Amino acid sequence: MKELILKKINLRKRWSLGLFSTCVIMMWAGLFILLYYTSLDDHSYLNFPLFLILFISITFSALGIYIYKFFKAYLATVNELSEKESILFIEQGNFRPFAEQWLPSFIIYQDKVKFFKILTQPEYAFSEMISIHFKRFNFTRSRQDCRITVQLVNGTKHYYNVQGNVMQRTYLKNEALSNNPKIIIDDRYS
């Protein structure tokens, strides 16, 4: 099962990084073409677009590094899944929308949960959690309309927006309660 998950994630990694790399290469090519035309004559009206494209190209290039690290962390997490957790991962994927079928917002494994964002991929052991709150988050245009608030033993709170799928929420609640019966679950999504 783990091989199937790795195959699907690697396919999405190749497609995502391929499309992203193509866009970045086209931006850099546009930048060099603009540089060439500004060096021929005094085209001072091209200075602003030149700096704008340079800024966007540098930003997108840096974002590409974070996307690569995101997929690297995803693959490392999937490699740590047990056979039972791999089967649960695939079963949960049947209840997720297509975009999150193989790349869900969080993975539960080895008595902890790992949330996936582009810039960071924090993970928390269920034994470190005091409470988990689910709340509908309507200020987004994407499908990630459920805000999960995780409160840890040290008093810090962390917020994550995930897809508000009933099966995913139930799965997270059940795993949290089975690993830490003292955890407080507050589901105000409905």
Side-chain angles (χ1 to χ4, degrees):
M1 291 292 178
K2 193 183 299 187
E3 295 80 26
L4 174 67
I5 299 169
L6 290 171
K7 179 181 171 187
K8 295 289 187 174
I9 292 173
N10 276 321
L11 178 67
R12 279 156 178 75
K13 175 185 173 184
R14 283 194 302 266
W15 273 98
S16 299
L17 289 177
L19 287 172
F20 192 81
S21 298
T22 302
C23 292
V24 169
I25 289 169
M26 290 174 65
M27 281 190 283
W28 281 103
L31 178 68
F32 287 124
I33 290 169
L34 201 57
L35 272 172
Y36 173 74
Y37 282 113
T38 56
S39 67
L40 290 179
D41 264 339
D42 182 31
H43 295 293
S44 60
Y45 62 90
L46 292 177
N47 287 341
F48 178 72
L50 177 73
F51 289 118
L52 183 64
I53 293 174
L54 176 65
F55 175 75
I56 292 171
S57 298
I58 291 171
T59 304
F60 267 75
S61 297
L63 185 62
I65 294 168
Y66 284 108
I67 291 174
Y68 176 77
K69 288 181 179 181
F70 170 82
F71 279 108
K72 187 176 177 181
Y74 227 107
L75 292 169
T77 303
V78 169
N79 278 324
E80 293 180 26
L81 293 177
S82 68
E83 193 61 33
K84 180 184 173 190
E85 292 166 340
S86 298
I87 292 169
L88 282 172
F89 183 93
I90 292 173
E91 286 176 3
Q92 287 296 313
N94 295 332
F95 299 109
R96 291 185 209 115
F98 178 75
E100 285 198 3
Q101 187 173 15
W102 297 102
L103 297 172
S105 301
F106 61 88
I107 295 178
I108 298 172
Y109 69 105
Q110 300 173 358
D111 302 333
K112 55 189 169 186
V113 61
K114 186 168 190 172
F115 291 93
F116 290 92
K117 295 178 154 184
I118 290 292
L119 300 179
T120 61
Q121 294 82 34
E123 67 181 19
Y124 309 105
F126 288 116
S127 59
E128 297 175 348
M129 294 182 190
I130 294 175
S131 65
I132 301 175
H133 300 277
F134 299 90
K135 186 176 179 185
R136 184 176 291 276
F137 185 65
N138 293 327
F139 302 108
T140 181
R141 291 188 178 133
S142 68
R143 292 179 176 230
Q144 296 187 335
D145 61 346
C146 179
R147 173 165 280 178
I148 296 177
T149 305
V150 176
Q151 184 173 2
L152 301 177
V153 174
N154 63 8
T156 60
K157 288 185 178 182
H158 302 277
Y159 303 95
Y160 301 98
N161 293 333
V162 300
Q163 204 268 337
N165 185 321
V166 175
M167 295 302 289
Q168 275 191 200
R169 290 194 333 263
T170 305
Y171 175 55
L172 179 59
K173 287 188 270 188
N174 291 342
E175 289 295 317
L177 287 172
S178 68
N179 289 303
N180 183 1
K182 295 179 182 178
I183 198 165
I184 300 167
I185 304 290
D186 183 19
D187 191 354
R188 287 189 251 158
Y189 181 81
S190 303

